[in-house]
């Protein structure tokens, strides 16, 4: 055995040089790993006892890509291109032995090997697009040469991880190995290649599949159309497509130049910076500084949910999907049947779209049962209350739960605004009470705000964070305050949007501005979708807001065919003159002089107060870190990933600029714009809030 460097060693086993990389956690292509490959391959080439070279990794995975944390830093050590050159031009066959995931630069390294063998459980992919990038080490030029243009387009624009069997079928790998014997299988395969004197297959020279697509522009145009909606606003998918076009229409070396140029454009731009930030933020959010990693988690095998309404039903589906049995409690058999019926219908709709089978529908429904007696929850490990948003009702329920739930049970509330400490105090075990704030539709939205009460125990928090992962949610730990983090920030945008329509902007102008910014929809379209009558009552309505007036006129939103917009039979929204008149009249009565409002002002008015609120939240310790706020807004409210979330975006604009805008606005319009003292401090002391 020869030690190449601290992450690489070279063994000679029966005429095969086995170059092993070991750089935890994911063998990313850091300077050390590149150096190990560079020197290791050269040494193996020089060694006369070696006839073929196997590149294999220790730990949980083959190389999972470039080291993302190195991007933007001074380059060190050999470049990836140099390493690939040496491998591809080796006079001895080089074989990639893949387990775990060969991703990004990792797959690109494998693509410069002459052969690829992978265990059955392995997956390969070029997920750079999810970091706002494209594969910058020849991946866009080599991949279509093996798998064909259509499959390559799919892979580079979605980042999908292709399972080994499919890799074999599509030509991306040459052989499947046993899961528990990759090393020996790879050595045997290498010997086979030597004995049969197989050619040094360079992917760059294989061109049947790309030639087949030459002159066929339709493939690209159709593909662009097919992903248009999903990729709106993102630069990287289009640049990835352009690279595949170059692979088809240009010689290999020219294609590489196109790839290089577009890669540099992406990596130096704000979108990729935001998406790379998101990658790390998404992992950071799971870490709670004062809760040790080794905290023992409670077992959650049985779940109870109280309330089979909009939220209770959706929440139940999460557990059924994960194979955890759920009992739902309702006030009456009728409501229970209705709630469970809706769950079944939801699953059937998913099946009708081909996303699950009818068999899956039945399987999942078997995990859901109902009851009208709360006493049946006495053996549950976790109970989530999702009844009407009414403090007295919630207190009554928690007092009952205190009597019947087992000692170790987690008692959770899905309240969106009520004081969880007050709810917890109705029990003799406030340390077991926590907020699990799901977002609607709860079976779809990825975000879960986990609300830590004053007395919530660390074990209950750690278990809830772990559980979130089990049911496929991204959880962010937040503190008790009105609206918690997400809705508290949303309230800022909503307030300004409501003011703006009186000052002169029309609902669709505001929605368009936010849609163009990258949100899936603006606040008025969203209100119409949710229903304007949520929390509105005919008896108490006094035409005090535009919303009141719309509801008084039977305009409840999409469900009644009109709200802020009017809807055609296909639910397409259209601006409505009647709404304009209602707003004009209301503003006249309030003696508000309406004026033209530019898109830029709309965006500032909607977004800057949100950023200011983020600073207040950080100051009060209601979110652990700035990036958690961004995670909440990206996963729960559709803030475009490529804009990085409110706090990241604010940093790009410049917090000093935002502060001075707020100060000007405060002078003119009052305390809605009072800057957070923490924002003032950050600007004055030039604090980096992302450290
Ligand atoms: N660079 C740096 N760090 C990385 C990394 C990478 N490429 N991939 C993962 N990590 C880190 C994570 O930040 C995390 O660190 P932490 O423990 O300190 O939080 C740790 O490795 C483990 O990662 P996960 O928690 O994500 O572990 P999983 O087992 O759940 O997933 C994985 C493993 C599937 C490999 C997943 O980490 C992943 O998808 N990684 C990113 C893969 C990727 O995007 N590769 C392309 C990179 S860009 C590129 O290659 C450009 C090239 O074309 C030139
Ligand atoms: P909903 O009105 O759709 O459902 C509430 C259900 O609770 C009803 O089916 C009702 O019959 C049942 N219920 C009332 N009292 C009960 C009792 N004593 N025992 C058993 N069941 C009882 O309400 P929704 O929208 O599901 O909201 C539930 C909770 O979730 C509220 O606290 C709400 O603030 C919160 N929430 C709502 C969101 C939304 O978008 N709808 C988003 C996030 C949280």
């Amino acid at each position: 055995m020869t030690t190449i460097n601290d992450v690489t060693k070279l063994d000679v086993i029966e005429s095969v040089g086995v170059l092993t990389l070991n750089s935890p956690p994911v063998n990313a292509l850091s300077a050390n790993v590149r150096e190990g490959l560079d020197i290791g391959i050269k040494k193996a080439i020089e060694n006369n006892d070696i006839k073929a070279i196997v590149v294999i990794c220790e730990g949980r995975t083959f190389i999972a890509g470039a080291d993302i944390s190195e991007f933007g830093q001074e380059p060190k050590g050999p470049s990836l291109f140099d390493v690939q050159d040496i491998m591809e031009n080796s006079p001895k066959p080089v074989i990639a032995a893949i387990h775990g995931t060969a991703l990004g630069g990792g797959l690109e390294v494998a693509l410069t090997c002459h052969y690829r063998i992978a265990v059955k459980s392995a997956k390969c992919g070029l997920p750079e697009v999810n970091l706002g990038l494209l594969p910058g080490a020849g991946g866009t030029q080599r991949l279509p040469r093996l798998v064909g243009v259509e499959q390559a387009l799919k892979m580079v624009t979605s980042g999908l991880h292709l399972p080994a069997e499919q890799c074999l079928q599509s030509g991306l790998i040459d052989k499947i190995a046993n899961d528990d014997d990759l090393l020996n299988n790879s050595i045997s395969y290498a010997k086979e290649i030597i004995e049969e004197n197989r050619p040094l297959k360079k992917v760059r020279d294989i061109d049947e599949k790309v030639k087949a697509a030459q002159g066929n522009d339709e493939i690209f145009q159709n593909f662009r159309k097919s992903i248009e909606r999903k990729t709106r606003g993102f630069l990287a998918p289009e640049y990835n497509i352009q690279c595949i076009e170059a692979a088809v229409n240009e010689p290999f070396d020219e294609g590489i130049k196109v790839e290089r140029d577009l890669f540099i454009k992406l990596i130096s731009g704000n979108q990729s910076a935001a998406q790379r930030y998101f990658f790390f933020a998404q992992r950071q959010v799971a870490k709670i500084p004062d809760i040790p990693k080794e905290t023992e988690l409670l077992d959650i095998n049985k779940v109870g949910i109280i309330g089979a309404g909009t939220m209770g039903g959706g929440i139940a589906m999460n557990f059924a999907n994960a194979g955890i049995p759920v009992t739902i409690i309702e006030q009456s058999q009728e409501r229970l049947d209705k709630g469970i019926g809706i769950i079944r219908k939801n699953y059937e709709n998913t099946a009708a779209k081909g996303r699950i089978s009818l068999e899956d529908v039945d399987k999942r429904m078997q995990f859901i049962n109902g009851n009208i007696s709360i006493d049946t929850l006495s053996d549950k490990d976790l109970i989530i209350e999702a009844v009407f948003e009414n403090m007295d009702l919630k207190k009554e329920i928690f007092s009952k739960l205190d009597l019947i739930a087992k000692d170790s049970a987690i008692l959770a509330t899905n309240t969106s605004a009520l004081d969880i400490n007050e709810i917890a105090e109705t029990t003799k075990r406030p340390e077991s009470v926590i907020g699990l704030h799901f977002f609607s539709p709860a079976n779809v939205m990825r975000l879960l705000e986990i609300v830590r009460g004053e007395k919530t125990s660390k074990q209950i928090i750690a278990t809830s964070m772990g559980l979130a992962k089990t049911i496929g949610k991204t959880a962010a730990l937040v503190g008790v305050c009105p609206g918690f983090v997400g809705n508290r920030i949303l309230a800022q945008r909503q307030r300004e949007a409501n003011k703006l329509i009186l000052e002169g902007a029309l609902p669709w102008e505001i929605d368009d501005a936010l849609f163009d910014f990258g949100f899936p929809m603006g606040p008025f379209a969203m209100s119409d979708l949710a229903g304007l009558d949520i929390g509105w009552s005919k008896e108490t309505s006094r035409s005090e807001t535009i919303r009141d007036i719309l509801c008084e006129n039977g305009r409840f939103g999409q469900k009644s065919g009109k709200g802020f917009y009017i809807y055609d039979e296909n639910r397409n929204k259209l601006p409505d003159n009647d709404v304009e008149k209602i707003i004009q009249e209301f503003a006249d009565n309030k003696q508000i002089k309406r004026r033209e409002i530019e898109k830029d002002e709309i965006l500032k008015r909607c977004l800057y107060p949100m950023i200011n609120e983020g600073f207040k939240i950080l100051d009060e310790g209601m979110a652990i870190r700035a990036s958690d706020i961004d995670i909440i807004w990206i996963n729960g409210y559709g803030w475009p990933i490529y804009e990085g979330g409110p706090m990241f975006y604010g940093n790009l604009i410049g917090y000093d600029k935002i502060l001075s805008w707020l100060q000007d606005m405060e002078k003119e319009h009052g305390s809605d714009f009072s800057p957070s003292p923490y924002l003032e401090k950050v600007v004055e002391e030039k604090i980096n809030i992302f450290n």
Side-chain angles (χ1 to χ4, degrees):
M1 195 266 284
T2 314
T3 300
I4 304 292
N5 66 7
D6 27 331
V7 297
T8 324
K9 61 174 183 163
L10 179 64
D11 293 282
V12 186
I13 306 175
E14 303 172 42
S15 74
V16 178
V18 177
L19 191 63
T20 309
L21 301 172
N22 185 13
S23 178
V26 296
N27 291 307
L29 286 161
S30 57
N32 248 356
V33 171
R34 294 196 304 272
E35 181 194 73
L37 278 169
D38 180 54
I39 302 174
I41 297 278
K42 282 179 188 156
K43 279 214 168 4
I45 293 171
E46 282 162 11
N47 186 329
N48 289 335
D49 296 337
I50 292 176
K51 305 281 178 260
I53 307 159
V54 166
V55 178
I56 194 165
C57 292
E58 277 182 8
R60 67 212 227 205
T61 179
F62 189 76
I63 305 165
D67 185 340
I68 306 166
S69 61
E70 271 187 3
F71 288 165
Q73 293 182 13
E74 237 355 81
K76 271 195 288 189
S79 80
L80 187 52
F81 277 114
D82 291 342
V83 173
Q84 287 177 303
D85 260 1
I86 293 160
M87 295 175 83
E88 195 164 52
N89 295 319
S90 155
K92 301 173 181 177
V94 183
I95 297 121
I98 300 169
H99 77 291
T101 43
L103 299 177
L107 181 59
E108 290 173 298
V109 164
L111 284 169
T112 48
C113 295
H114 305 110
Y115 295 93
R116 285 153 293 282
I117 176 169
V119 293
K120 217 170 172 176
S121 61
K123 291 183 175 160
C124 298
L126 293 174
E128 284 86 344
V129 70
N130 297 326
L131 300 169
L133 292 173
L134 52 86
T140 63
Q141 304 307 298
R142 291 190 178 89
L143 183 72
R145 287 178 154 77
L146 287 183
V147 305
V149 170
E150 271 151 338
Q151 176 73 334
L153 283 169
K154 229 187 271 168
M155 288 179 74
V156 295
T157 55
S158 70
L160 81 97
H161 298 181
L162 202 66
E165 292 280 6
Q166 288 178 45
C167 291
L168 183 69
Q169 276 162 25
S170 63
L172 183 50
I173 63 169
D174 305 285
K175 197 172 172 68
I176 300 261
N178 291 334
D179 262 288
D180 50 5
D181 211 7
L182 179 60
L183 177 62
N184 286 326
N185 282 203
S186 308
I187 292 169
S188 307
Y189 185 45
K191 280 164 61 187
E192 203 179 295
I193 291 166
I194 305 165
E195 277 153 26
E196 291 177 12
N197 205 9
R198 293 211 201 144
L200 297 172
K201 230 174 34 170
K202 289 188 194 173
V203 177
R204 55 172 289 154
D205 297 335
I206 302 172
D207 59 4
E208 298 94 84
K209 287 189 177 169
V210 283
K211 267 197 177 144
Q214 271 170 8
N216 188 352
D217 262 6
E218 248 179 39
I219 303 183
F220 295 101
Q221 296 323 329
N222 291 344
F223 187 77
R224 282 192 170 94
K225 259 205 195 106
S226 72
I227 61 162
E228 194 174 57
R229 262 188 65 185
K230 238 167 89 198
T231 58
R232 183 179 69 93
F234 288 90
L235 290 175
E238 170 56 26
Y239 283 21
N240 270 281
I241 296 173
Q242 288 177 20
C243 288
I244 307 282
E245 276 178 323
V248 169
N249 298 319
E250 309 284 344
F252 182 84
D253 289 326
E254 289 305 308
I256 287 284
K257 277 189 203 150
V258 172
E259 182 189 270
R260 196 75 222 140
D261 284 352
L262 293 178
F263 181 83
I264 287 167
K265 273 192 190 151
L266 287 177
I267 201 158
S268 51
N270 288 339
Q271 286 207 353
S272 175
Q275 288 179 259
R276 284 171 355 237
Y277 160 80
F278 176 74
F279 176 86
F280 289 113
Q282 187 87 351
R283 282 154 181 80
Q284 190 78 354
V285 71
K287 295 169 188 159
I288 315 299
D290 70 327
I291 300 184
K293 234 174 128 187
E294 47 288 345
T295 304
E296 201 181 319
L297 305 187
L298 296 161
D299 284 336
I300 306 292
N301 298 316
K302 290 181 189 166
V303 173
I305 292 174
I306 310 174
T310 312
M311 294 308 289
I315 296 169
M317 291 171 78
N318 288 297
F319 293 100
N321 295 346
I324 301 174
V326 197
T327 301
I328 310 181
I329 305 298
E330 254 295 343
Q331 321 184 58
S332 67
Q333 192 62 44
E334 198 191 339
R335 280 183 179 255
L336 183 61
D337 293 344
K338 187 176 165 209
I340 293 187
I342 292 174
I343 296 178
R344 175 172 279 282
K345 220 182 189 133
N346 275 337
Y347 277 136
E348 284 170 352
N349 286 342
T350 312
K353 287 180 194 145
R355 293 200 198 124
I356 57 173
S357 67
L358 282 174
E359 216 176 53
D360 289 334
V361 176
D362 287 335
K363 248 194 233 157
R364 292 179 197 197
M365 286 307 294
Q366 275 167 17
F367 286 107
I368 296 177
N369 65 73
N371 208 294
I372 50 167
S373 163
I374 200 168
D375 294 342
T376 51
L377 299 185
S378 60
D379 66 340
K380 304 299 178 235
D381 304 308
L382 162 69
I383 301 170
I384 304 174
E385 166 280 308
V387 302
F388 306 127
E389 187 77 330
N390 174 306
M391 183 55 110
D392 290 340
L393 176 60
K394 297 210 189 246
K395 281 182 169 175
E396 188 191 318
I397 286 181
F398 274 77
S399 313
K400 269 193 209 155
L401 287 179
D402 197 22
L403 298 177
I404 59 129
K406 63 183 192 182
D407 288 348
S408 60
I410 300 181
L411 307 183
T413 171
N414 182 48
T415 180
S416 40
L418 300 176
D419 183 340
I420 289 170
N421 294 326
E422 199 179 328
I423 296 174
E425 284 312 321
T426 60
T427 72
K428 286 192 218 66
R429 39 174 139 170
E431 68 284 356
S432 300
V433 177
I434 196 163
L436 293 183
H437 185 211
F438 288 84
F439 288 73
S440 182
N443 54 316
V444 177
M445 296 299 290
R446 284 202 65 180
L447 177 64
L448 177 65
E449 276 185 336
I450 297 188
V451 193
R452 176 182 201 158
E454 259 163 30
K455 296 188 179 155
T456 313
S457 79
K458 291 183 178 175
Q459 190 177 37
I460 298 279
I461 296 169
T463 304
S464 301
M465 296 294 293
L467 183 70
K469 211 168 172 195
T470 310
I471 60 172
K473 300 287 177 202
T474 297
L477 187 66
V478 301
V480 178
C481 58
F484 312 125
V485 169
N487 284 346
R488 180 169 161 180
I489 291 178
L490 178 67
Q492 295 291 316
R493 189 181 82 177
Q494 199 60 45
R495 185 196 62 225
E496 288 310 307
N498 287 337
K499 277 158 59 182
L500 280 165
I501 57 173
L502 300 184
E503 289 170 33
L506 290 163
W508 30 97
E509 289 169 351
I510 295 173
D511 281 355
D512 284 353
L514 289 162
F515 179 80
D516 292 346
F517 179 77
F519 281 101
M521 63 177 88
F524 297 103
M526 194 161 101
S527 301
D528 269 4
L529 182 66
L532 299 182
D533 55 336
I534 292 184
W536 175 83
S537 121
K538 195 171 173 182
E539 289 70 40
T540 54
S541 186
R542 300 276 177 278
S543 308
E544 278 159 2
T545 61
I546 300 289
R547 197 265 303 244
D548 280 351
I549 301 171
L550 293 175
C551 287
E552 286 160 17
N553 283 293
R555 305 184 68 117
F556 299 131
Q558 268 199 32
K559 60 183 166 192
S560 62
K562 46 193 181 170
F564 281 101
Y565 293 86
I566 190 157
Y567 294 85
D568 69 13
E569 58 282 4
N570 298 320
R571 293 209 165 190
N572 292 317
K573 59 179 177 8
L574 300 163
D576 188 355
N577 285 338
D578 289 349
V579 172
E580 211 171 323
K581 271 188 224 143
I582 290 173
I583 295 172
Q584 181 72 57
E585 220 169 87
F586 188 90
D588 288 347
N589 286 341
K590 295 234 171 230
Q591 295 178 339
I592 299 169
K593 204 161 169 284
R594 288 168 62 76
R595 62 190 168 91
E596 277 286 303
I597 301 181
E598 298 288 331
K599 187 170 162 183
D600 180 58
E601 184 181 344
I602 293 175
L603 282 182
K604 282 184 177 143
R605 284 282 294 277
C606 288
L607 303 181
Y608 289 9
M610 295 168 71
I611 298 161
N612 190 32
E613 197 64 26
F615 276 97
K616 292 181 187 169
I617 285 168
L618 288 175
D619 202 14
E620 292 165 28
M622 292 298 150
I624 296 172
R625 39 182 102 75
S627 61
D628 288 8
I629 297 178
D630 289 338
I631 287 296
I632 288 172
W633 261 78
I634 289 172
N635 286 300
Y637 299 83
W639 186 289
I641 297 180
Y642 57 77
E643 297 283 7
M647 306 315 284
F648 182 91
Y649 174 73
N651 191 33
L652 274 187
I653 299 289
Y655 296 136
D656 53 343
K657 287 203 184 96
I658 291 173
L659 175 61
S660 86
W661 182 88
L662 286 165
Q663 286 163 335
D664 292 347
M665 291 296 287
E666 185 189 26
K667 274 183 217 138
E668 215 178 312
H669 301 283
S671 63
D672 282 350
F673 301 96
S674 302
S676 146
Y678 182 46
L679 169 61
E680 289 169 340
K681 185 176 152 103
V682 163
V683 171
E684 199 177 296
E685 296 176 21
K686 296 192 169 51
I687 296 170
N688 179 355
I689 62 165
F690 297 99
N691 274 342

